[in-house]
Amino acid sequence: SNKPANYQKGIVKGQCTIPGDFLNDGSYYISMMIVKDASSAAFFMEEAITFDIVEDRDKSAWHGKWPGAIRPMNIPLESWQ
């Protein structure tokens, strides 16, 4: 979410960046909400964007599901205990 702000009528743009190699494989969705007076929902669009993360398993001996929703890279599996 962002900090509360007042916007003029018209098109309001925003962006969100998800770093590469941050999310685990699986299906995800992003919902969007516009809040009035910092307390009541004026608009809510559930699953505004949906996407799938598919992992290249050719470089790994592990073929199961990695635990969790996030999985930052460059952490050896042996150190997860």
Side-chain angles (χ1 to χ4, degrees):
S1 66
N2 61 325
K3 294 180 183 177
N6 292 319
Y7 296 98
Q8 299 296 318
K9 255 186 190 179
I11 297 173
V12 176
K13 294 181 181 182
Q15 73 180 47
C16 170
T17 303
I18 300 171
D21 292 331
F22 181 71
L23 295 174
N24 198 1
D25 62 321
S27 298
Y28 295 87
Y29 66 88
I30 297 173
S31 297
M32 183 180 79
M33 180 183 293
I34 298 172
V35 178
K36 181 179 179 182
D37 299 327
S39 63
S40 62
F43 177 81
F44 180 66
M45 180 183 285
E46 189 169 2
E47 298 183 21
I49 299 171
T50 62
F51 58 94
D52 296 314
I53 303 291
V54 180
E55 183 173 5
D56 179 11
R57 297 291 176 121
D58 293 340
K59 300 174 186 170
S60 173
W62 174 255
H63 296 287
K65 174 74 172 157
W66 292 96
I70 63 169
R71 186 169 56 97
M73 297 303 288
N74 301 322
I75 301 173
L77 179 61
E78 296 80 28
S79 67
W80 291 26
Q81 294 181 13

